[in-house]
Amino acid sequence: MFDVAVIGAGMAGLSCAQRLRQAGYSVAVVEKSRGAGGRVATRRLQGTRVDHGARYLEPQGDAVQRLIEALVDRHILKLWTDCVWEFKQGEMFSIPSSCYVAPAGMNAVGKYLAEDLDIWYGRRVQAISTTDNQKWHLSLEVTDNNLDIPQELIAKAVVVAIPAPQALMFLNSEIGLKSDFIDKLRSVEYDPCITAMAGYPAVKQQDLSNLNPQWKSVSFAHNSDLAWIGWDSSKRLDPQQPVFVIHSSANFAQRHLESVDLPTVGQELLDRTSEYLIPWLKEPEWLQVHRWRYAFCRNPLPVSCLPADGTLPLVCAGDLCGEGQIEAALRSGLAAANWVNSQLQNLPLDSSLNW
């Protein structure tokens, strides 16, 4: 039994849960994966860490700016580069931009925001219903074979902080949600992305040292296949070999999203990238590929969060609300916390954005 159940341990869910926890509410966060951070994600591969989700943090607005400041003070983030590059019409153009990364992996951001929270990892929400005494009942599916945590929970309020298509799997009119609310969720669309992570022989490090200029982040304007490539190993304190991460365009991802042969799809991304940048990028020592079905919200709703009227307290939050990806997600989480508080005890909330 909790005051609030937060579904999703991404940036929105974590910021919401922290604000409510710090106010004094009992909060449980339900997360289907094994770690916090959502799309701010890192994998352990071949003795190193590789960021296959969010590329870096940049000061998009007050919420991200203050989070960056807090994480820099704690030596979690460092400035990676003050200049990104764009490949357009056969030429490279530099763009001033302060990009911050975590040498230990970008998922360190999620770990920081998750501190002191009660997070139920390896649990996917199967269904939501109401109890006889006017509470929410969440039925949970085990996804990590960990049976130590109960497979259901009760809460006075629910915050849904996951992509709209996933939320619609259990949000429906049968639990008292109005058609207008459901229609708004259905109107939100996402672009997918396929991410290739590739490592190269250590001897190639010298080739990168001789690059002039030494680019770390390159985006591709109006490319049918490629969106971005990052020199991921340059984020690490002691890289053992060159590692690159390539993000596909939405069009490329749509064409290959259901492929059963992801390594071949990833190799195609490397082949295309090698044509524009470095020829040996098509010859990795190792390659892993990840598909993001809901990478970027294409048409977010013009609201800070989306409350459901006429039911027990329930609100949707995340980058489906507002503009700015991580900035929008953080602000939406905080707005959802404010709304939930208004429906429960109206406790004093810390109105600052200091983390």
Side-chain angles (χ1 to χ4, degrees), residues 79-98:
L79 181 66
W80 182 41
T81 181
D82 57 8
C83 177
V84 297
W85 296 83
E86 183 177 67
F87 193 93
K88 180 165 45 176
Q89 298 177 343
E91 294 186 45
M92 296 268 273
F93 299 89
S94 63
I95 304 169
S97 179
S98 298

Side-chain angles (χ1 to χ4, degrees), residues 294-305:
Y294 310 112
F296 303 103
C297 186
R298 188 189 313 154
N299 56 336
L301 300 170
V303 293
S304 58
C305 62

Side-chain angles (χ1 to χ4, degrees), residues 34 40-53 104-108 195-197 232 236 243 245 262 286-292:
R34 293 177 293 175
V40 184
T42 303
R43 277 191 184 178
R44 288 179 178 267
L45 293 174
Q46 303 294 323
T48 188
R49 293 174 173 85
V50 185
D51 297 326
H52 62 293
M106 290 300 290
N107 63 350
T195 299
M197 299 155 271
D232 194 81
R236 311 301 159 219
V243 176
V245 172
L262 282 181
W286 52 264
L287 171 67
Q288 277 212 10
V289 184
H290 181 81
R291 62 185 130 209
W292 295 100

Side-chain angles (χ1 to χ4, degrees), residues 5-45:
V6 176
I7 302 172
M11 294 294 101
L14 294 174
S15 63
C16 177
Q18 281 291 4
R19 174 164 278 187
L20 291 171
R21 181 193 69 82
Q22 292 171 17
Y25 290 103
S26 61
V27 182
V29 181
V30 180
E31 170 56 45
K32 65 181 178 62
S33 68
R34 293 177 293 175
R39 282 162 279 179
V40 184
T42 303
R43 277 191 184 178
R44 288 179 178 267
L45 293 174

Side-chain angles (χ1 to χ4, degrees), residues 261-282:
D261 186 5
L262 282 181
T264 297
V265 174
Q267 185 62 53
E268 185 175 341
L269 286 174
L270 295 183
D271 292 345
R272 295 287 287 133
T273 308
S274 70
E275 295 172 9
Y276 294 107
L277 298 177
I278 305 171
W280 52 256
L281 287 174
K282 64 182 178 182

